[in-house]
Amino acid sequence: MKNLTFGNINVLPILDIEKNVDPEKLINALIDGKINTVEITLRNDEAFNNINLIRKKFPDLILGVGTIVNVDQLKRTIDLGADFGISPGFEIEIIKYAKEKNFLYIPGVSTASEIISCLKFDCKFLKLFPAEPLGGISYLNSLSGPFPDVLFCPTGGINSDNYLSWLSQKNVLCVGGSWIAPKNDYNYDKIKKRALEVLNN
Ligand code: 3PG
């Protein structure tokens, strides 16, 4: 298991790889754009096949699997050699299994109660989802008072216009978003360009 690092970028591209997108070309475009960490979501039938292929072809990539909503999916994620797992919400059995396997897992939260549940498991790095619809940065700031030690990866509604404001918050470790490589986009040059724009900002 590699350590979760985002280099100088702190942006986690969220990938929903549909059939019209070549997984290898997509990852190469991101790597050419200096991105070393990605989240591949479990949102279509090909997801686990793509994760398997990408894991084998790109051993140095920090590969996360997202949209994990049950323990079986987490088991497959670990078996395929992913580096971390991430969920849109909090589910106690998933978090327990991740702890048991000592696997890096990032639960999703949208309320103070869910954060309290995660803290019971000593999980202090959480996905805040869906960040913009929940109330945006003012909502995030409201959480920093009661939970000063919790760091977030806000996701949902984050894009090239607002990600820098999110990243400037003290309780934000990284932001997640689909804007760098949106679903069904196979213009690999543009994907690389958007990744490099993030690097240069
Ligand atoms: C997620 O899976 O976290 C979100 O669907 C990503 O949200 P976005 O498409 O608004 O970036």
Side-chain angles (χ1 to χ4, degrees):
M1 185 169 80
K2 297 186 225 34
N3 283 328
L4 186 54
T5 63
F6 297 93
N8 297 325
I9 297 178
N10 296 335
V11 170
L12 177 64
I14 296 179
L15 311 177
D16 181 0
I17 309 176
E18 288 287 344
K19 279 203 167 61
N20 54 349
V21 173
D22 181 319
E24 230 180 302
K25 287 184 182 160
L26 172 62
I27 300 297
N28 272 321
L30 290 167
I31 290 173
D32 289 347
K34 309 291 176 215
I35 290 214
N36 69 344
T37 302
V38 300
E39 172 188 331
I40 301 176
T41 58
L42 299 178
R43 293 195 196 161
N44 59 64
D45 295 343
E46 286 304 304
F48 278 117
N49 287 337
N50 286 331
I51 290 160
N52 190 27
L53 178 130
I54 290 167
R55 176 70 302 165
K56 288 187 172 142
K57 299 253 176 192
F58 301 93
D60 295 333
L61 183 73
I62 300 176
L63 172 53
V65 173
T67 329
I68 294 176
V69 297
N70 59 52
V71 172
D72 275 350
Q73 290 175 331
L74 180 60
K75 281 184 185 162
R76 288 184 76 180
T77 294
I78 296 172
D79 289 348
L80 287 176
D83 296 299
F84 66 97
I86 186 160
S87 294
F90 169 82
E91 208 284 308
I92 193 161
E93 295 307 323
I94 302 178
I95 215 169
K96 274 186 181 166
Y97 188 81
K99 281 273 154 200
E100 198 183 302
K101 296 290 171 189
N102 197 22
F103 183 70
L104 178 53
Y105 172 65
I106 306 161
V109 294
S110 57
T111 65
S113 305
E114 290 161 331
I115 296 171
I116 291 170
S117 299
C118 289
L119 289 177
K120 269 167 86 177
F121 292 90
D122 207 28
C123 269
K124 291 182 180 161
F125 177 39
L126 308 171
K127 169 169 172 159
L128 182 69
F129 180 79
E132 279 287 337
L134 274 173
I137 289 173
S138 71
Y139 188 81
L140 173 90
N141 285 338
S142 307
L143 295 172
S144 68
F147 305 110
D149 297 336
V150 174
L151 290 173
F152 294 96
C153 176
T155 306
I158 297 185
N159 53 45
S160 58
D161 292 333
N162 62 13
Y163 78 96
L164 286 173
S165 310
W166 281 96
L167 280 177
S168 67
Q169 306 304 311
K170 63 179 187 302
N171 53 351
V172 170
L173 184 64
C174 64
V175 297
S178 60
W179 85 91
I180 294 175
K183 184 175 169 176
N184 292 318
D185 187 348
Y186 49 85
N187 188 330
Y188 306 108
D189 283 342
K190 281 213 173 126
I191 291 169
K192 174 181 161 186
K193 197 165 154 255
R194 283 194 291 267
L196 287 173
E197 272 163 18
V198 164
L199 176 71
N200 293 328
N201 270 329

